[in-house]
Amino acid sequence: MKNKNTQVFALGGLGEVGKNMYCIRHNDEIIIIDAGVMFPDDDLLGIDYVIPDFTYLEENADKIKYLLITHGHEDHIGGIPFLLTQVNIPKIYAPAQAKELIEKKLIEKNINYKNLFIYNEKTNLKTKYFNIEFFRTTHSIPDSHGISISSPNGTIVMTGDFKFDFTPIGPMANIGKMAEIGKKGVKLLMSDSTNALSPGISLSESVVDENLGELFQNNKNNRIILATFASNIYRLKHIIETCRENKRKVALFGRSMDTSIDIAIKCGYIKDKNIIISAEEANNLPPNKVCLLCTGSQGEPLAALSRIAGGTHKQIKLLPNDVVIFSSSPIPGNSSSVSKTINKLYLKGVKVYTHGDDVGIHSSGHANQEELKLMIRLFNPEYFAPYHGEYRMLKTHCDLANLCNIPKQNTFILNNGDILNINKDGIKKQGHVQAGDIYVDGSRIGDVSNIVIKDRVLMSNNGILAIIINIDTKNKKLLNTPLVTTRGYILVNESGELIKDIESYCKHIINKRLNDKKVNFNDIKNDLINSLMPMLNERTGRVPIILPIIMDIKEK
Ligand SMILES: [Zn+2]
Ligand SMILES: [Zn+2]
């Protein structure tokens, strides 16, 4: 029997900033919007990415019609290579800039996928149940779009990441089209909540441009080293323009910066190729004739700027009169690594400008409160569900919607997996699909579980203690004194007595177990762990991971 409901839910992106993935389903058709990754917190040791759990999509693969991409940021496209190895996606539609970035990723991962297409504002996709349109928005990467999907139960609009900028560097957002879609009637609006806690209106890119221009003017005689987000192509475009006006050549540092400038040239955002020079050429020019454009604005230890600051960069050594400009602001969680880099720069005596109260040299790609209200007013939806944000951002965004005349009972704060059921009676939160975090360690997906992470945390906090034991099981005989070795727990040289005690204690425990009828290694291991834990805690105040290694050896 056909179900009359349209369902909307997230596999990632709610209660977090990252791994965005949203689904709309009506009967046997599913449309997916975005497939992102999240960069893990520091407590997920050794984990490179977190991706959404694709189980639901694997189980319903036959229903998937499209994966639609709003824009090319990692939290929206980074999961695609992993998704494609697990789930058959018939077609992916992405804007031009995102398509370039996705293609690069697929080539890097050796994935041969033929069904990646470009859409633009004129594109109109139709399926049995859905009619899909796109509208241009402004964001910190070109070609960002929102998506309007009309379903048998009304129109669902997802804004994608956006801000409003009335004097952008790139094209204007298509406010007219948004209002038009709004006029026809929108059932549900899902809107970007990243900056819902910031009052007012975000700084225009043109103002950032002007301020950066002034810094160039004020530091005419110095070499300028500028760090910014490589993906913010419009920013790169106006930095390069500023360099041209100030008769400086530009040298690029960092792989993602190279990639980004390549794509910007290919897509026509940057026209003057000759302004780009090599590091070697930059070193041969007078300092006031060059600008070094680097990655590392987040203090990433391996990125170009951190290496330059630390004096470990192969080609660039800091000069005493250098000026370093951070055209960025730390992403939450990165502040300490950024200040480490800044401290190193100060230590070298160079002048540092960061975005702050005295000078606005960065602007976020996400809307502040007044812009969020404008978005709500343009679409004037019946129901509202904030997305792309942590809980407090979602909650504050709901409050803003209430101020814009959306009744409280028509706003929803959802978790990943929660289903919004839409039918002719309205929208209700009902049911749940499987959603969660999958850890990617290197290129291995999902084989690192919470237990592994816990072990890594324990090891990093308290170290590890291994006990190597040789037993002749046939003759029920312990062949040597158990050998104890440790890393990150105690200093072996200074703890000879403790180690001896542990060894003889182990000997005692093992010998007791060897009296059992049948020698069972697991019993011995459990005994060792259970009795060593209190002993070690008493002696050192800490319990490391205890790892008994038993080998069955025949006595000769
Ligand atoms: Zn974005
Ligand atoms: Zn995003």
Side-chain angles (χ1 to χ4, degrees):
M1 206 187 79
K2 289 247 160 113
N3 189 332
K4 293 207 168 67
N5 292 327
T6 304
Q7 298 182 320
V8 181
F9 51 87
L11 295 177
L14 297 178
E16 60 196 2
V17 175
K19 71 176 173 66
N20 291 283
M21 189 172 217
Y22 308 93
C23 298
I24 299 179
R25 174 173 175 178
H26 193 94
N27 286 323
D28 58 350
E29 289 194 340
I30 295 173
I31 308 288
I32 310 168
I33 292 103
D34 290 332
V37 290
M38 185 159 66
F39 296 101
D41 290 340
D42 290 345
D43 52 359
L44 290 178
L45 297 175
I47 295 302
D48 300 317
Y49 306 110
V50 184
I51 55 171
D53 184 340
F54 300 135
T55 307
Y56 176 88
L57 296 174
E58 280 177 271
E59 288 168 1
N60 293 283
D62 56 321
K63 304 178 185 72
I64 298 169
K65 294 291 153 202
Y66 298 117
L67 166 61
L68 308 174
I69 300 300
T70 56
H71 66 289
H73 276 152
E74 282 298 306
D75 59 323
H76 298 260
I77 65 167
I80 294 175
F82 304 106
L83 178 68
L84 290 180
T85 55
Q86 278 176 274
V87 185
N88 176 39
I89 304 288
K91 278 179 183 174
I92 301 178
Y93 274 86
Q97 164 88 11
K99 179 180 175 265
E100 292 288 331
L101 292 164
I102 296 166
E103 264 173 358
K104 273 218 151 66
K105 263 180 201 307
L106 296 182
I107 290 168
E108 261 169 36
K109 294 247 152 71
N110 250 324
I111 296 173
N112 184 11
Y113 182 79
K114 293 264 173 295
N115 300 316
L116 174 59
F117 304 99
I118 295 186
Y119 71 74
N120 61 31
E121 265 200 319
K122 296 195 186 81
T123 308
N124 179 209
L125 302 174
K126 280 194 169 82
T127 69
K128 197 166 43 171
Y129 297 116
F130 300 113
N131 185 15
I132 302 161
E133 289 180 274
F134 305 90
F135 52 92
R136 180 182 282 284
T137 57
T138 300
H139 185 41
S140 47
I141 189 168
D143 284 340
S144 292
H145 286 77
I147 303 177
S148 161
I149 300 178
S150 75
S151 77
N153 288 302
T155 298
I156 299 149
V157 171
M158 298 197 186
T159 63
D161 294 8
F162 77 96
K163 67 188 279 188
F164 284 109
D165 187 341
F166 302 110
T167 48
I169 301 290
M172 261 302 289
N174 195 341
I175 296 177
K177 190 164 185 182
M178 296 178 201
E180 233 171 72
I181 295 169
K183 218 168 167 187
K184 283 188 233 152
V186 170
K187 183 66 96 180
L188 171 69
L189 173 66
M190 298 182 81
S191 183
D192 172 8
S193 311
T194 317
N195 278 355
L197 302 174
S198 309
I201 292 182
S202 63
L203 196 65
S204 167
E205 253 330 285
S206 299
V207 178
V208 174
D209 188 17
E210 240 171 69
N211 294 342
L212 279 173
E214 237 167 73
L215 282 188
F216 271 71
Q217 282 295 319
N218 297 341
N219 294 285
K220 265 193 170 135
N221 302 319
N222 312 68
R223 186 167 69 168
I224 292 180
I225 301 173
L226 209 154
T228 190
F229 297 104
S231 62
N232 194 340
I233 300 232
Y234 289 128
R235 184 81 49 82
L236 299 183
K237 176 186 155 82
H238 68 69
I239 289 168
I240 285 179
E241 278 299 301
T242 309
C243 287
R244 199 175 51 77
E245 283 161 20
N246 288 278
K247 303 200 167 44
R248 286 179 192 256
K249 296 277 188 187
V250 183
L252 308 175
F253 297 90
R255 203 167 71 102
S256 54
M257 197 59 86
D258 289 333
T259 308
S260 219
I261 296 281
D262 268 358
I263 292 176
I265 290 171
K266 194 170 165 195
C267 295
Y269 294 109
I270 292 169
K271 301 225 156 55
D272 181 9
K273 266 192 244 180
N274 298 328
I275 198 164
I276 312 283
I277 56 170
S278 69
E280 211 182 350
E281 288 170 293
N283 279 333
N284 290 331
L285 282 173
N288 63 348
K289 291 285 171 237
V290 291
C291 170
L292 315 180
L293 193 50
C294 342
T295 56
S297 66
Q298 296 300 304
E300 309 92 315
L302 296 179
L305 184 64
S306 314
R307 291 183 187 211
I308 292 172
T312 56
H313 196 278
K314 278 195 199 109
Q315 292 150 313
I316 300 298
K317 298 280 167 261
L318 280 174
L319 308 172
N321 292 324
D322 280 349
V323 168
V324 178
I325 302 172
F326 284 79
S327 180
S328 60
S329 62
I331 293 168
N334 291 350
S335 341
S336 74
S337 48
V338 174
S339 52
K340 253 186 217 156
T341 305
I342 294 176
N343 278 321
K344 279 184 195 159
L345 292 166
Y346 269 90
L347 206 64
K348 296 261 158 63
V350 305
K351 199 166 182 183
V352 181
Y353 292 94
T354 54
H355 173 65
D357 302 330
D358 46 340
V359 55
I361 46 176
H362 174 64
S363 175
S364 160
H366 301 275
N368 287 11
Q369 291 180 350
E370 296 309 310
E371 298 156 76
L372 293 174
K373 288 181 193 162
L374 174 58
M375 193 56 117
I376 294 167
R377 291 294 189 186
L378 282 168
F379 284 108
N380 192 29
E382 242 179 277
Y383 294 86
F384 179 73
Y387 75 166
H388 201 287
E390 293 167 14
Y391 182 80
R392 61 191 172 139
M393 304 165 188
L394 303 180
K395 170 73 175 79
T396 310
H397 203 176
C398 270
D399 296 343
L400 296 176
N402 298 151
L403 292 177
C404 296
N405 294 341
I406 315 260
K408 226 182 181 110
Q409 66 272 17
N410 286 15
T411 58
F412 298 96
I413 300 177
L414 304 173
N415 286 313
N416 290 330
D418 286 348
I419 299 172
L420 278 186
N421 243 324
I422 314 177
N423 56 36
K424 64 176 192 327
D425 300 326
I427 300 189
K428 276 202 182 76
K429 192 163 122 181
Q430 262 168 349
H432 198 82
V433 302
Q434 184 172 331
D437 292 348
I438 300 295
Y439 300 140
V440 182
D441 182 352
S443 56
R444 289 137 62 103
I445 307 170
D447 61 351
V448 180
S449 66
N450 273 319
I451 301 167
V452 176
I453 301 292
K454 259 191 208 144
D455 279 353
R456 288 181 185 178
V457 171
L458 261 177
M459 270 193 264
S460 81
N461 288 337
N462 295 343
I464 180 166
L465 181 120
I467 311 153
I468 298 147
I469 302 150
N470 297 333
I471 292 177
D472 179 349
T473 40
K474 213 172 146 206
N475 297 312
K476 291 192 181 179
K477 200 171 162 196
L478 178 63
L479 296 180
N480 60 344
T481 305
L483 179 72
V484 169
T485 163
T486 165
R487 288 281 182 281
Y489 172 51
I490 44 173
L491 271 177
V492 177
N493 292 345
E494 293 172 9
S495 316
E497 197 185 327
L498 176 62
I499 292 198
K500 269 212 178 76
D501 290 352
I502 298 170
E503 286 173 349
S504 58
Y505 195 49
C506 291
K507 202 169 166 179
H508 168 72
I509 294 162
I510 297 162
N511 277 327
K512 241 165 80 186
R513 269 291 176 195
L514 288 177
N515 291 327
D516 288 357
K517 220 176 192 171
K518 199 168 180 287
V519 177
N520 181 323
F521 282 5
N522 276 337
D523 287 343
I524 298 178
K525 285 180 185 174
N526 287 335
D527 275 7
L528 284 170
I529 293 169
N530 291 334
S531 35
L532 277 175
M533 278 194 337
M535 176 210 178
L536 296 176
N537 194 26
E538 195 181 306
R539 295 279 294 265
T540 65
R542 281 173 299 150
V543 180
I545 289 199
I546 300 167
L547 195 66
I549 302 159
I550 307 177
M551 281 175 287
D552 189 0
I553 291 177
K554 261 201 195 86
E555 197 180 19
K556 280 187 187 140

Short mmCIF file of all heavy atoms in Angstrom, two decimals, residues 20 71 73 75-76 139 161 366 388, ligand 2:
data_model
loop_
_atom_site.label_atom_id
_atom_site.label_comp_id
_atom_site.label_asym_id
_atom_site.label_seq_id
_atom_site.Cartn_x
_atom_site.Cartn_y
_atom_site.Cartn_z
N ASN A 20 27.16 16.96 7.09
CA ASN A 20 25.78 17.22 6.70
C ASN A 20 25.28 16.18 5.72
O ASN A 20 25.95 15.85 4.74
CB ASN A 20 25.68 18.60 6.05
CG ASN A 20 25.93 19.67 7.08
OD1 ASN A 20 25.04 19.98 7.88
ND2 ASN A 20 27.13 20.24 7.10
N HIS A 71 27.06 22.85 -2.00
CA HIS A 71 28.31 23.56 -2.30
C HIS A 71 29.50 22.70 -1.92
O HIS A 71 29.34 21.63 -1.33
CB HIS A 71 28.36 24.91 -1.56
CG HIS A 71 28.41 24.80 -0.07
ND1 HIS A 71 27.34 24.38 0.68
CD2 HIS A 71 29.41 25.03 0.80
CE1 HIS A 71 27.68 24.38 1.97
NE2 HIS A 71 28.92 24.76 2.07
N HIS A 73 32.11 22.68 0.25
CA HIS A 73 32.85 22.55 1.50
C HIS A 73 32.88 21.09 1.98
O HIS A 73 31.94 20.33 1.72
CB HIS A 73 32.21 23.42 2.60
CG HIS A 73 32.68 24.85 2.54
ND1 HIS A 73 31.91 25.89 2.97
CD2 HIS A 73 33.84 25.39 2.12
CE1 HIS A 73 32.58 27.03 2.80
NE2 HIS A 73 33.75 26.75 2.28
N ASP A 75 32.35 19.71 4.77
CA ASP A 75 31.24 19.21 5.58
C ASP A 75 29.99 18.93 4.74
O ASP A 75 28.96 18.53 5.27
CB ASP A 75 30.92 20.16 6.76
CG ASP A 75 30.55 21.57 6.32
OD1 ASP A 75 31.13 22.06 5.34
OD2 ASP A 75 29.67 22.17 6.97
N HIS A 76 30.12 19.10 3.40
CA HIS A 76 29.01 18.78 2.50
C HIS A 76 29.40 17.79 1.40
O HIS A 76 28.53 17.13 0.84
CB HIS A 76 28.45 20.07 1.87
CG HIS A 76 27.91 21.00 2.91
ND1 HIS A 76 26.60 21.12 3.20
CD2 HIS A 76 28.56 21.82 3.79
CE1 HIS A 76 26.43 21.98 4.20
NE2 HIS A 76 27.61 22.42 4.57
N HIS A 139 27.97 32.60 0.03
CA HIS A 139 28.64 31.83 1.07
C HIS A 139 30.14 32.01 0.87
O HIS A 139 30.55 32.70 -0.06
CB HIS A 139 28.20 30.36 0.96
CG HIS A 139 28.71 29.46 2.04
ND1 HIS A 139 28.78 29.85 3.36
CD2 HIS A 139 29.17 28.17 2.00
CE1 HIS A 139 29.26 28.84 4.06
NE2 HIS A 139 29.52 27.82 3.27
N ASP A 161 24.38 26.34 3.14
CA ASP A 161 25.09 27.34 3.96
C ASP A 161 24.94 28.69 3.27
O ASP A 161 25.12 28.78 2.05
CB ASP A 161 26.58 26.99 4.05
CG ASP A 161 26.83 25.70 4.81
OD1 ASP A 161 25.85 25.00 5.11
OD2 ASP A 161 28.01 25.40 5.07
N HIS A 366 28.59 32.48 7.10
CA HIS A 366 27.25 32.13 7.59
C HIS A 366 26.51 33.35 8.11
O HIS A 366 27.11 34.29 8.64
CB HIS A 366 27.37 31.09 8.71
CG HIS A 366 28.06 29.83 8.27
ND1 HIS A 366 27.40 28.79 7.66
CD2 HIS A 366 29.37 29.46 8.33
CE1 HIS A 366 28.26 27.83 7.37
NE2 HIS A 366 29.47 28.20 7.77
N HIS A 388 22.13 22.33 10.37
CA HIS A 388 23.52 22.76 10.31
C HIS A 388 23.91 23.52 11.57
O HIS A 388 24.16 24.72 11.53
CB HIS A 388 23.74 23.63 9.06
CG HIS A 388 25.17 23.72 8.60
ND1 HIS A 388 26.12 24.45 9.29
CD2 HIS A 388 25.81 23.19 7.54
CE1 HIS A 388 27.28 24.36 8.65
NE2 HIS A 388 27.12 23.60 7.59
ZN ZN B 2 28.58 23.68 6.06
#
